[in-house]
Amino acid sequence: MFERFSSGYYLGRLYVQPRGESEAAIRRDDHERVNEQLYATGAGVERLDNPLVMKVGTRHYPVVGDDDVPRGTLTLPRDAVPGDLEGRLPARHEVLLANAERAEDMLQYTGWEGESSA
């Protein structure tokens, strides 16, 4: 789905479409697979539900897993579609996926603190 693009990102092509939800999402099983392959540290039990961080157009999004999203699709909150993509969605677009280090930095920058694992 994604291949190495640079020291901080992987590159993929996904069908991108807006939807009425408040979070960006891809299909849950794809989310878990990508999370495991690209973000796992090998240091024990890994959480597979932490958001991925994807860049579409000019904006980064924390991306969650959702069973209702079609395979190969990234959904964006309708009110958060970047201006450079307005009027151009839905369509296939190049999507950058931040590597684990970059994703952690971006999530902290956006204020995402994660859920406590009780």
Side-chain angles (χ1 to χ4, degrees):
M1 185 184 278
F2 289 91
E3 60 186 54
R4 170 84 50 201
F5 176 72
S6 69
S7 61
Y9 290 97
Y10 298 88
L11 176 67
R13 281 188 69 78
L14 296 172
Y15 188 77
V16 180
Q17 67 182 40
R19 72 176 185 162
E21 302 296 324
S22 62
E23 297 178 301
I26 62 174
R27 185 163 186 88
R28 186 175 317 279
D29 57 346
D30 288 339
H31 182 279
E32 290 176 357
R33 187 178 70 249
V34 170
N35 210 323
E36 184 176 32
Q37 289 174 350
L38 303 182
Y39 289 7
T41 63
V45 177
E46 303 286 343
R47 287 193 60 170
L48 298 180
D49 59 345
N50 284 334
L52 303 171
V53 175
M54 294 186 186
K55 182 177 181 184
V56 183
T58 57
R59 187 157 177 202
H60 285 85
Y61 298 90
V63 178
V64 299
D66 186 332
D67 291 328
D68 293 332
V69 175
R71 192 170 305 285
T73 300
L74 169 65
T75 61
L76 303 178
R78 192 174 311 283
D79 61 348
V81 172
D84 63 322
L85 292 181
E86 282 186 27
R88 296 178 38 208
L89 296 180
R92 287 186 60 78
H93 285 279
E94 290 184 341
V95 174
L96 293 173
L97 169 66
N99 68 16
E101 237 177 73
R102 186 135 179 92
E104 185 177 336
D105 292 343
M106 296 302 294
L107 288 171
Q108 289 177 358
Y109 177 72
T110 63
W112 185 85
E113 295 178 14
E115 298 175 28
S116 61
S117 52

